[in-house]
Amino acid sequence: MRVTFIYDIENLEKIREIIKSYNPKEIPALTTRINHVRIDDSAKIRLTIDGNENDVKNLVNLLGESFFFS
């Protein structure tokens, strides 16, 4: 499963902390990539998460809780 999100560049450290704190019960099969992109003349970051469905969903939930419910 692969998902991609676009975030403001100011959130880079917060995203890195969330990824580091993710601690799955089993050995994770996740790959994360962070790239800088330019959208409408503003700098953004693109986060791509690849892995098994369960781990990807868990990490996406952590990101959602941190960005959408804080």
Side-chain angles (χ1 to χ4, degrees):
M1 175 178 208
R2 175 184 285 175
V3 294
T4 302
F5 297 97
I6 302 293
Y7 291 100
D8 292 329
I9 200 152
E10 296 85 25
N11 295 317
L12 180 59
E13 288 306 314
K14 186 175 182 179
I15 290 168
R16 284 184 174 155
E17 288 175 23
I18 293 167
I19 291 170
K20 278 192 225 178
S21 72
Y22 178 65
N23 188 16
K25 292 180 172 69
E26 299 175 9
I27 297 172
L30 281 177
T31 303
T32 57
R33 285 187 308 279
I34 297 175
N35 301 98
H36 291 81
V37 294
R38 183 165 294 281
I39 298 174
D40 298 328
D41 291 328
S42 62
K44 303 279 185 182
I45 54 174
R46 179 177 56 222
L47 169 65
T48 304
I49 306 168
D50 286 306
N52 68 52
E53 186 174 354
N54 190 49
D55 284 337
V56 171
K57 285 181 180 180
N58 288 338
L59 185 53
V60 167
N61 286 337
L62 283 175
L63 288 164
E65 289 171 6
S66 295
F67 284 95
F68 303 116
F69 303 114
S70 59

